[in-house]
Amino acid sequence: MIPNEASAQEPRAPSEQPGEDRLRLLLSTGDDQGERDALRLGLQQAVGALAGLGGLVHLRGRQARGGIPLRLATSIGLPRNLTRGWVYLADHDRTAPGRATAENTRLWLPTTAVTPGPLPPRSGVAAVPLPGPEGPLGALSVVTTGDLPPTDSQWDLLERVAAWVADRLGRPEPAESRERWRLAERRPGTRLPSTATDVGVGTWEWNVRTGEAFLDDTAQHVFGMSPDMYDGRIETWVELVHPEDLPWVIADAEDAARAVGGYASEYRVRRPDGGFRWVQARGRSVHGDDGRPLLLRGVLWDSTETRVAMDTVGRALRHMSDGFLALAPDGRIVFANAQAERLLGVHGRTGGRILWDLPGVRPSGLEARCREAADSGHPVSGDIAWDGAHRRYRVRVMPVPDGLTVYLTDVSEQRRAEEARAKAAQAAADRAAHIGRLTTALAEAVTVNDVVHAVAERVLPLFDATGLIVQTLEGDLLHAVGFVGYPPDLLRRTGLERLDPGTPGADALRGRVPLYITSAREYDSLYPARAELREWAQKHAWAFLPLIVSGKPVGCCVVSFSEPRPFAEEERTLLTALAGLIAQALERARLYDAEHGRAQELQRGLLPRTLPVLPAVTAAARYLPATEGTTAGGDWYDVIPLSADRTALVIGDVMGHGISEAVTMGRLRTAVHTLAGLELPPDELMAHLNDLVSDLGDDFYATCLYAVYDPAAGRCALTRAGHPPPALVRPDGTVHFVGGPPDPPLGAATPPFALVEFAVPDRSLLALYSDGLVESSQRDIDTGMAELAAALTGALAQAPAQSGGGRHDERREEVDRLERLCEEVSAALDIGKGHAGDDAALLIARTHALAPGDMASWSLPEDPVAAGEARDHVRRQLERWGLDDLVTTTELIASELVGNVVRHARGPVVLRLIRSRSLVCEVSDGSLTTPRIRHAAPSDEGGRGLQLVAALCLRWGTRYTPYGKSIWTEQAIPAPDALREP
């Protein structure tokens, strides 16, 4: 229960309340009260409890001096002329203190004519003994008013106060240590020589047994005694001591006389002229032969000037702006100046209290620093937080012989200023770092989108902005190319703005100075027609920054805020500087985007826009431009239909990267198309292509892979010049790289080129790729090929191939699956990171073997009857295929081709029909002569057969084989489902 609640529940009688409070006050004091403090404190409470005029405390002499058993230890509230008669009380004294001590009882005596000292009339003296283990130690007396003794409760209070005082008698003084000068011990009866006279130091001696006192001339001079005043009595000396100092001076002298040791004291004396002087005395006790105290002798001098100086220092310390504390070794406060008292919050009540027991001291860490200084014996300094860290103080703890001195300097404002400077410096460093990162990001930005992203990521956090719009100037229009922190339909509302007066962006660009709008009210006042747009955007402050490059406006950057903002001068300067950086980056990005667009357009024009869907293969491809430099490169791919449903798969890579390489690539692709139309074998085609590259110059090189897939034979023939081998993925999912060692690149090779043939199972995958797909600075080509094989296997395992059909919609589904396969392989190889310095191409084709029922062939004799047999074979086969509409024309074509072979070439003669997306009619022979269409004269009997063949078919041509040649024709099949099964 808290004290207030206890008081409320158990009220005491009003007459008892003050006395109980005084007793609780005395009992609450700690052990830091010394003897003198206890005498005065107890006497004050006793006088206050009885509403007396004053009080006295007498103590028995510890050693009889001239028959004087009681001496005045302390007094309060009584003038000197009154207490003079109470200083010593003789044996059998009949005063109240004397009788209370002698009779060990309490009593009250009224004032009489024989009472020592001129007490007022109608007053009395109430005295109680101070209890001790061997009898009363003395008496505590109160001068009361009126002619009635104290009440029982007041007597009880006086006795309890006396018991408290008696309990504290004999305790050491904690607040100061008294220095004891060591004086040479002399034999009894001898006196100290007077050699110190010339320096103002006198000698003295007091016989504690007889009460005689000896003062030399210098000592008498210090006390202001004339020769006729000095009578050798101790009482004469006592009368000169200041009344306030007398009790403790006598007590110190008695203590020194009883103990063998030194004596030190400083007190005031009253001189005959009415003034007071300070005297310092030092001495030592001397015991007689019987071991009992005999003499107290020493030296004394006038210390007034020193004391005044010390008082001056004390006043200076008292009123200095810094807090100052003097601490005893146990941490009790000996002295605290006004500033320290204000800091501790205990004005005038610090003496004797332990510093770290005061509120607020322990959390500050001051105790730890004091103990550190006390333990180490060295000064300790540092900052401490005070008042819940609202204030900061610089503390310096200095060890001194009698404890510690503590200096407390309020450095709160200084630290706040330092913190403000540190924060400003940190903010400046952060801004510099932000600007550095922004500069780096803008330098690395390639496209306009990169610039917008860099500004949004680096500039908005720097100013706590919430919105960004980047606009480019195109003629007299401002085009918003990027934004952050606005609704998605911003471009619909403000995608294009005319550069007319009345819009903030236009005004900033026309004036070529930033426009700062600090609030929505200011915006509405400047541009009332745009208030609706401002409300829609939910912004409340804007910085419109014109972007100027080489004196030419290129756009506007709008930084917006969700709250009003005054835009300090430092912010405006920084935003202006950043606008210059953004303008330079934006202009570079616009140039890059323009070049990038042209390069993409060129690349799209040079590469196949779509791949043909052929009966023999279904293909998909990916071209991945390099992430560094222009997107135009030298990689290409192609799928070229050949005769008899054969298909050429081509992939190549011109060494280098850029527009010129892209142009060279386009020339090579055109050349490959031309050479493929001549039906040349892969090795011969590569030889012609090598000649072309060599003619371009010594600095031009290219790699190429040319493969021809024959669905009728289920085989593939390829030649590669410095190009990685293709990956063959069989239907069971196994991956093999085929082709053997490559020939040197085009431009460095010497024909002939190696021709490699291999079987290709139906519905296998052929993956052709450039080195940019599998090789980079972080990955060698062998590792890249292994990763490609794993990527193909993994992708196919996730989406296995389905049995193919011949219908168009099924082929389109097949193309879509291959497109996804290209994406998955590219992602698995992490091409976006792996080929940053080179472009890459990937071509994946699924093979479709020709069904046996769609092909028929016959050997014919080398005889004119061969033409008739050919017509019979054609008629019967087309009837079986249901192609009756093509019987007549096909008979005629076969007859003409076979007749030419019989007439102009040599056997063996072979006729072959292939039903695919068109009807193919082939006649092969063993001759290498090339048939040509002749322009026959009107009188010529022959020379019109090939003209007739060309007129009857869609296209025709000659293909050379290892055994001769084949002349082929193609006719359109009229049926809507050209790929139906027989």
Side-chain angles (χ1 to χ4, degrees):
M1 183 180 296
I2 61 175
N4 288 341
E5 292 176 343
S7 299
Q9 295 180 17
E10 298 178 5
R12 287 185 284 269
S15 60
E16 297 178 357
Q17 183 71 30
E20 293 296 330
D21 290 341
R22 294 181 185 276
L23 282 174
R24 280 198 299 273
L25 177 63
L26 290 177
L27 295 175
S28 66
T29 58
D31 295 336
D32 56 340
Q33 294 291 337
E35 179 178 305
R36 280 177 290 177
D37 292 338
L39 290 175
R40 295 186 64 84
L41 180 59
L43 187 57
Q44 288 173 352
Q45 298 304 323
V47 172
L50 271 64
L53 299 175
L56 310 99
V57 174
H58 288 81
L59 298 177
R60 284 183 180 273
R62 294 184 177 89
Q63 185 69 36
R65 306 180 312 279
I68 303 176
L70 290 177
R71 50 98 178 168
L72 180 62
T74 188
S75 66
I76 62 170
L78 301 176
R80 178 180 176 81
N81 61 340
L82 188 149
T83 59
R84 186 180 293 114
W86 298 86
V87 173
Y88 293 107
L89 300 179
D91 194 15
H92 306 298
D93 184 81
R94 305 309 296 169
T95 62
R99 291 182 57 186
T101 302
E103 300 171 9
N104 193 19
T105 185
R106 67 188 188 190
L107 76 158
W108 176 84
L109 296 177
T111 300
T112 64
V114 297
T115 301
L119 292 177
R122 293 181 58 80
S123 63
V125 178
V128 293
L130 298 175
E134 299 178 357
L137 303 176
L140 184 148
S141 306
V142 177
V143 179
T144 63
T145 59
D147 52 3
L148 295 175
T151 64
D152 290 342
S153 62
Q154 290 175 329
W155 280 119
D156 180 63
L157 175 62
L158 284 178
E159 289 177 340
R160 295 172 68 180
V161 171
W164 181 86
V165 171
D167 181 59
R168 279 156 174 74
L169 290 179
R171 295 194 179 187
E173 297 293 336
E176 60 184 5
S177 61
R178 303 187 179 275
E179 179 184 2
R180 305 298 184 183
W181 283 20
R182 297 185 176 275
L183 300 176
E185 184 174 349
R186 310 286 295 188
R187 292 182 57 83
T190 62
R191 294 189 174 92
L192 294 173
S194 301
T195 56
T197 303
D198 295 337
V199 295
V201 178
T203 60
W204 56 272
E205 188 175 275
W206 174 33
N207 190 315
V208 297
R209 298 183 182 180
T210 64
E212 295 177 344
F214 165 77
L215 300 174
D216 68 0
D217 293 341
T218 303
Q220 294 177 36
H221 177 72
V222 170
F223 279 102
M225 291 181 177
S226 60
D228 56 347
M229 288 180 59
Y230 176 59
D231 57 4
R233 296 173 56 250
I234 191 62
E235 287 78 5
T236 304
W237 166 71
V238 168
E239 290 181 355
L240 295 176
V241 179
H242 194 285
E244 293 181 1
D245 299 341
L246 180 61
W248 60 264
V249 170
I250 294 176
D252 285 350
E254 289 183 347
D255 291 342
R258 186 180 73 252
V260 179
Y263 164 75
S265 182
E266 185 177 19
Y267 50 88
R268 291 168 291 177
V269 297
R270 183 172 60 84
R271 295 170 65 91
D273 58 4
F276 288 91
R277 304 289 291 179
W278 282 92
V279 174
Q280 280 204 15
R282 300 290 186 267
R284 190 176 186 82
S285 64
V286 179
H287 287 202
D289 294 337
D290 56 1
R292 297 170 58 195
L294 176 60
L295 297 174
L296 191 63
R297 64 158 63 109
V299 296
L300 58 80
W301 63 91
D302 189 329
S303 61
T304 303
E305 294 182 0
T306 303
R307 186 68 185 217
V308 170
M310 292 301 295
D311 289 345
T312 302
V313 173
R315 285 193 297 273
L317 289 174
R318 181 71 183 170
H319 300 290
M320 66 187 298
S321 59
D322 291 346
F324 176 79
L325 293 167
L327 303 180
D330 60 354
R332 298 181 188 276
I333 301 174
V334 177
F335 173 80
N337 69 353
Q339 179 64 16
E341 289 178 351
R342 283 193 294 270
L343 175 62
L344 298 174
V346 285
H347 300 285
R349 298 181 287 109
T350 58
R353 304 181 69 175
I354 296 179
L355 175 61
W356 27 88
D357 287 345
L358 297 176
V361 175
R362 192 175 297 275
S364 70
L366 180 58
E367 178 184 1
R369 297 187 183 275
C370 290
R371 294 190 183 279
E372 180 183 354
D375 293 341
S376 65
H378 298 290
V380 174
S381 61
D383 282 10
I384 61 172
W386 204 274
D387 190 20
H390 292 97
R391 309 292 297 178
R392 296 189 67 84
Y393 286 84
R394 179 71 174 177
V395 59
R396 291 166 293 164
V397 185
M398 307 286 293
V400 295
D402 292 331
L404 300 171
T405 58
V406 182
Y407 298 85
L408 296 163
T409 303
D410 191 343
V411 293
S412 302
E413 298 303 325
Q414 178 182 349
R415 294 296 181 263
R416 290 193 186 99
E418 292 173 354
E419 291 174 359
R421 288 193 297 269
K423 288 181 180 178
Q426 183 62 42
D430 291 343
R431 285 195 299 271
H434 270 290
I435 294 173
R437 289 192 290 269
L438 173 63
T439 302
T440 302
L442 290 178
E444 296 175 350
V446 177
T447 66
V448 171
N449 286 336
D450 293 340
V451 173
V452 174
H453 178 74
V455 174
E457 189 177 55
R458 304 298 182 187
V459 174
L460 298 190
L462 184 60
F463 297 94
D464 294 327
T466 58
L468 171 72
I469 302 176
V470 177
Q471 299 171 304
T472 58
L473 183 60
E474 300 174 4
D476 60 347
L477 294 176
L478 277 175
H479 176 218
V481 294
F483 65 92
V484 173
Y486 285 90
D489 58 343
L490 172 71
L491 295 180
R492 181 180 62 80
R493 289 176 173 262
T494 61
L496 289 175
E497 290 185 2
R498 297 194 64 84
L499 201 64
D500 296 332
T503 61
D507 291 349
L509 280 173
R510 290 181 181 277
R512 299 196 176 187
V513 293
L515 174 62
Y516 299 98
I517 301 178
T518 61
S519 65
R521 178 177 298 178
E522 181 181 357
Y523 188 100
D524 293 345
S525 65
L526 293 173
Y527 306 101
R530 299 173 63 87
E532 181 181 355
L533 180 62
R534 191 267 307 161
E535 293 178 356
W536 169 79
Q538 292 297 306
K539 303 299 179 184
H540 296 274
W542 299 262
F544 293 89
L545 308 175
L547 304 179
I548 311 296
V549 177
S550 301
K552 174 185 175 183
V554 298
C556 182
C557 178
V558 184
V559 181
S560 55
F561 303 83
S562 297
E563 300 293 335
R565 192 179 188 91
F567 292 106
E569 188 62 31
E570 182 180 1
E571 290 181 330
R572 298 186 180 214
T573 302
L574 184 56
L575 283 168
T576 302
L578 293 178
L581 296 176
I582 297 170
Q584 295 287 342
L586 183 63
E587 184 64 9
R588 289 195 307 269
R590 290 179 64 189
L591 293 176
Y592 174 84
D593 284 347
E595 180 184 356
H596 178 73
R598 290 191 294 269
Q600 283 189 320
E601 183 178 355
L602 173 63
Q603 195 78 49
R604 285 192 297 268
L606 295 176
L607 290 174
R609 294 185 180 274
T610 59
L611 294 178
V613 179
L614 302 176
V617 296
T618 307
R622 279 291 177 273
Y623 174 77
L624 299 140
T627 57
E628 297 177 0
T630 178
T631 56
D635 289 17
W636 91 93
Y637 55 86
D638 216 336
V639 176
I640 304 172
L642 302 177
S643 62
D645 269 1
R646 296 176 310 122
T647 304
L649 303 175
V650 189
I651 192 164
D653 181 6
V654 177
M655 301 295 183
H657 186 70
I659 298 295
S660 62
E661 284 75 10
V663 172
T664 301
M665 176 267 289
R667 297 172 66 180
L668 294 181
R669 178 170 175 256
T670 302
V672 169
H673 260 275
T674 301
L675 295 173
L678 297 177
E679 298 281 354
L680 295 176
D683 54 340
E684 292 186 24
L685 183 145
M686 199 68 71
H688 288 292
L689 202 60
N690 181 66
D691 294 339
L692 175 61
V693 175
S694 298
D695 292 341
L696 295 177
D698 295 337
D699 296 332
F700 284 89
Y701 300 95
T703 66
C704 184
L705 188 154
Y706 183 83
V708 175
Y709 171 65
D710 186 353
R715 297 185 63 80
C716 182
L718 69 85
T719 297
R720 57 193 183 98
H723 206 85
L728 174 62
V729 186
R730 292 188 172 92
D732 60 2
T734 58
V735 180
H736 300 277
F737 291 96
V738 297
D743 288 304
L746 300 175
T750 301
F753 288 88
L755 180 66
V756 177
E757 293 190 26
F758 55 94
V760 179
D762 186 26
R763 300 198 61 75
S764 296
L765 284 179
L766 279 172
L768 283 64
Y769 53 92
S770 63
D771 59 352
L773 186 75
V774 294
E775 186 178 23
S776 67
S777 58
Q778 293 83 28
R779 179 173 55 195
D780 60 64
I781 191 168
D782 293 333
T783 302
M785 291 171 62
E787 293 180 0
L788 172 62
L792 288 169
T793 303
L796 290 174
Q798 295 293 329
Q802 300 178 5
S803 59
R807 300 196 328 198
H808 182 74
D809 54 349
E810 294 176 345
R811 287 299 178 89
R812 289 310 313 170
E813 292 178 1
E814 181 73 31
V815 171
D816 293 340
R817 286 194 294 271
L818 292 177
E819 292 281 357
R820 290 193 296 272
L821 179 61
C822 289
E823 293 290 346
E824 293 170 4
V825 170
S826 301
L829 293 175
D830 201 12
I831 295 177
K833 298 180 180 177
H835 81 290
D838 194 10
D839 50 350
L842 173 64
L843 173 64
I844 299 179
R846 185 175 296 281
T847 62
H848 304 283
L850 189 62
D854 288 335
M855 179 178 60
S857 63
W858 303 270
S859 295
L860 301 177
E862 296 181 42
D863 190 88
V865 298
E869 293 182 9
R871 289 192 293 272
D872 292 339
H873 292 314
V874 167
R875 183 184 311 108
R876 286 193 296 270
Q877 186 64 40
L878 294 183
E879 288 175 354
R880 283 196 295 270
W881 285 346
L883 299 178
D884 298 335
D885 294 342
L886 297 178
V887 171
T888 302
T889 57
T890 306
E891 285 181 341
L892 182 57
I893 291 172
S895 177
E896 286 294 329
L897 293 179
V898 171
N900 283 339
V901 169
V902 172
R903 183 179 303 133
H904 302 292
R906 64 176 183 269
V909 182
V910 178
L911 171 65
R912 185 170 69 166
L913 294 178
I914 298 175
R915 182 184 63 172
S916 183
R917 61 176 180 174
S918 61
L919 179 63
V920 177
C921 178
E922 266 186 4
V923 177
S924 301
D925 61 59
S927 173
L928 297 178
T929 57
T930 302
R932 293 181 176 86
I933 297 179
R934 295 174 53 192
H935 296 282
S939 59
D940 292 341
E941 294 182 1
R944 297 179 178 83
L946 291 181
Q947 292 181 2
L948 179 61
V949 169
L952 293 176
C953 65
L954 294 176
R955 62 181 187 132
W956 72 280
T958 303
R959 179 178 74 254
Y960 291 92
T961 68
Y963 311 105
K965 69 176 183 295
S966 293
I967 303 174
W968 54 268
T969 64
E970 288 186 6
Q971 301 175 76
I973 295 178
D977 189 359
L979 301 179
R980 66 185 182 276
E981 294 291 335

